[in-house]
Each structure stands twice: as C-alpha cells, then as structure tokens.
Amino acid sequence: METKSDETFVLLGGTGDLARKKLLPSLFNLYKKGKLGDFDVIGTSRHDLSREEYVRHVGVNINKDETWDEFKENIRFARLNFYNPEGYEVLQKKLLGCGDQRLFYLATLPQHFDVITDNLAALDLVNETSKVLYEKPFGEDLRSAKKLNRTINELFPEENIYRIDHYLDKELVGNLSILRFSNSIIEPIMNAEYVDQIQIIASEDFGVGERGGFYDRYGAVKDFFQSHLLQLLSLVGMSTPEKLDAKCIRDEKVRVLQGVSIMDTMTGQYEGYRDEEGVDEDSTTETLAAVKASLDGPRWQGVPFYILTGKNLAKKYSQIYIQFDKNNQSAMAGDGTIPNSLVVSIQPDRGIYLVINTKVPGGMQTEPAKMEFCHACHHGPNTPSAYENLLAQALAGDQRSFIRYDEIEEQWRIVDGMKLPEPTIYKPGKVPPEVHNFIQDGEWHGLS
Ligand code: BG6
C-alpha cells in the first residue's frame, strides 16, 4: 500500500486571490481524490484574523460538499507581515505541530520574494525535504531575476526550488512532449525541411480587471510573453532530450532560449485601458503583443515563429499551430489543396488535431478534414486544473514542469533586449488590422 507522508502547505499570501481562487480549491480537490496524506494548511496574512475567520474567507470560492467540513479542520492561520520577523516566529511555532514535509508557496508579488526567503532561512524553516514555490512573475527584468536567483540559491539548493509557470501544468501543454517524443511519425517532421511556420497564440477576451496596478508595470510582454509563451516556444522548439526527466528537458529548453532572435514586434493597447483602476492615465503599457522570432541552428533555419498575446480580443483561446510546407506536398500541390497542419489546442477546447486534404465524393476535388484527438471526449471535462497538477507534482518532487534558474534568466534576457514600439489603440473585442498584417506569409490561425 502507498505510504503517505505528513504534508504541510504554507500559503504566504494566504488571503490573496491566488490562494482563494486557485490554491485552496486545488488542495481541496487533491484531498477529495485521496492524494493528500495527513496534512495541514497554514494560511498567512498580515491581517489579524481568527482561524474561523480565515476559513470563512477562503471558503467562499470552494465548491463545497460533505467533505469540506473534514478538510477545513486541517486549515490553520498565522498572522505574518513579510517584513516583520515576529510573524515568522509565529509560523515556526505553528509548524512544530505539523508534518515535516513542508511546501512553502509564495503566492505574492516578486518584490517580496527575497525578504520572505531570507526570513524562512533565518529560522531554518526550510528543511531538506521542503519545497519552496515561487509564483510568477519571477522578477521584472534580467537584473532583478538574477539578484533573486542569487539570494535564493545561496540559501536553498536548486532541488528545493520550484519556480512556477502554471501554463506548463495545463494538460495539453504536458501533452506536447509526449506528442513529440513518443510518436515516431511526428518528430521526424518537426524541422525546417517540413515546417513552414509555427504560431503560438494566447488570445483573451477580457481586460486587466482588478489587476491594473500590477499589469501597468508589466504589460503583455513581461506578463505573458516572457513566461508562458517563451515556455511554449521552448517546448515546441527543443531537440529530443536524452531522457524525459527534469534535468534533460530543462537543459534542452535553455538551449532553445539561448538561440531565440526577435525579428519583429508590434504592440497594442485596448481602448479604455487607461481608465482601468490602478492604470496610469498616460500609460503606454501594451495589452497586446505580436512577435516574430527565429531559432538558431539547422533544425529551425528559416522557420518563422509568430507569437501573439492580447487582452480584450474577440475570444479566449490558446493554441500552437504548426503549418507544414505546401511545396513538400504531393503531385496535387497548388491544386486547391491546403498545407497540412498540426494544432495543439490548449484551451478552452483541449485536443490535438491534424488537418489533411481529403477527396470530395464523386470527383477529384479536395477539401480539408480534421483527424482529431478530443481530450474531453476521452478523459471527460473535469481533468485536473493546472494548479492541481502543479501542487501534486511539487509534492512528488517532480521538477519537470517548473522553471530552472537559467531558463528564467534567458527568458528575461530575451525580453530585456526587445525594443517595443508605441502601442496601436484597438477597440475591445476587435483584433486591430495591424495584427492581421503582421504575418506576411499567411494568417493567424483561428483569430477573428
Ligand atoms: C497569468 C497572467 O499568468 O496567466 C494573466 O498574469 C493571464 O494576465 C493568465 O490572464 C492566463 O492564464 P489562464 O490559465 O487563466 O489562461
């Protein structure tokens, strides 16, 4: 029988949105699936709350059933101001009564990371089996990310560090390496000889909401491109790792990131952004960015990577679109056929499909058809959320879908080197023509 260890989850930033909307619900789901042993959750906040008040506060977003009452018995609260050592002593006392497998989740803004790290280390709260999880964004440029890495790595070994990018824990992103490296018909065509262009798109149909203050300092490039999209680029672009383990995968991803060149960029800002709460009235922060990039080395020579992220566009979807070279097709090339494509649809529809040319009945005319793996049809609609996956993987000590220190530095190096043009103003819900014109040799897949 599987032996279960005593786990303690410490949520620093325990009353924040992330803790309430993602972390507690994910822990509750893991509990219901029997994936937690004898566990405790310690939420921290600078507010003076009783345990009961804290439980009520975090319970609002929980889809409760009869097991909630059992689960909530394991929730504790520690009042802790990140900048006051006394709070960490309160936490230390609480930890004495809890399991030794500690998972510290820094669900806070990056400016607090070093002070929290220092204080955890000063009281020796992080032991050999502890995991320390840092939410994104990790820093705000290369200099701050390097400084953070130095502080952290002086105190804790890299094996205890889990830098988060929740995109890596989405089911279809996890599927990408499996698709590429466990299907012998896919990998041989993932190169410049067969691929014409690759698009990585993350379009959102909502604005910055209550996150205006944060967002205005970052913008689409630092918030989304720097993290999620560069990670997707490295997963699509990487060469076959020796093994599918954390070290080999991350070594290969770093190689891709080191070879990224930015060829062109355009940015946009949605109309009304400057009126959002927390946003500067003269802000030139971009809420949309389109980037054309290339990768070094023979595998992808001459293949453009078109990358797009934008808020307040017409619809929410994320996907990777790989278009194969029409010139490499059969004798019918140019005869009404379309280029083949392989699409990894990350959300909201989850799946992988290949578009092929087929014959229309009764003649030799062709039409495109989809050969599809529909994720929800096979696995149902309720597969684990990204946060559930990442908590389970951190618990298991699996660092494959967490970012190593050198990856994050490469990501910031790329972004620091980008010169962003003035944003074009666009109407919410409408993709500006500049985005459509950005691709000279084709069009964005699925963008309307
Ligand atoms: C976050 C970004 O990391 O990811 C947000 O800060 C973005 O701006 C979000 O909206 C998108 O993630 P998901 O999983 O909700 O699509």
Side-chain angles (χ1 to χ4, degrees), residues 135-202:
E135 236 320 308
K136 80 163 263 285
F138 190 89
E140 53 184 1
D141 53 18
L142 178 59
R143 194 192 56 80
S144 57
K146 274 190 160 172
K147 184 164 168 281
L148 256 177
N149 273 337
R150 253 197 323 273
T151 308
I152 294 170
N153 287 136
E154 269 167 20
L155 298 170
F156 312 133
E158 185 67 25
E159 294 73 61
N160 297 53
I161 307 302
Y162 292 71
R163 293 176 197 78
I164 291 167
D165 186 317
H166 78 278
Y167 247 66
L168 294 183
D169 298 281
K170 290 185 184 282
E171 283 296 329
L172 265 292
V173 176
N175 243 297
L176 204 55
S177 310
I178 306 294
L179 172 71
R180 289 194 53 196
F181 305 125
S182 74
N183 293 297
S184 57
I185 58 162
I186 303 287
E187 198 43 22
I189 55 170
M190 285 292 285
N191 54 55
E193 196 180 335
Y194 293 95
V195 174
D196 191 32
Q197 61 170 264
I198 296 187
Q199 299 177 10
I200 302 175
I201 303 170

Side-chain angles (χ1 to χ4, degrees), residues 136 166-167 170 204 211 223-224 228 311 316 347:
K136 80 163 263 285
H166 78 278
Y167 247 66
K170 290 185 184 282
E204 297 185 310
R211 298 167 73 227
D223 175 47
F224 215 129
H228 310 319
K311 297 227 179 272
K316 178 169 165 77
Q347 60 189 29

Side-chain angles (χ1 to χ4, degrees), residues 241-253:
E242 228 174 277
K243 288 193 223 144
L244 280 185
D245 66 11
K247 179 184 179 312
C248 298
I249 292 177
R250 299 197 287 182
D251 283 352
E252 288 303 335
K253 284 199 291 169

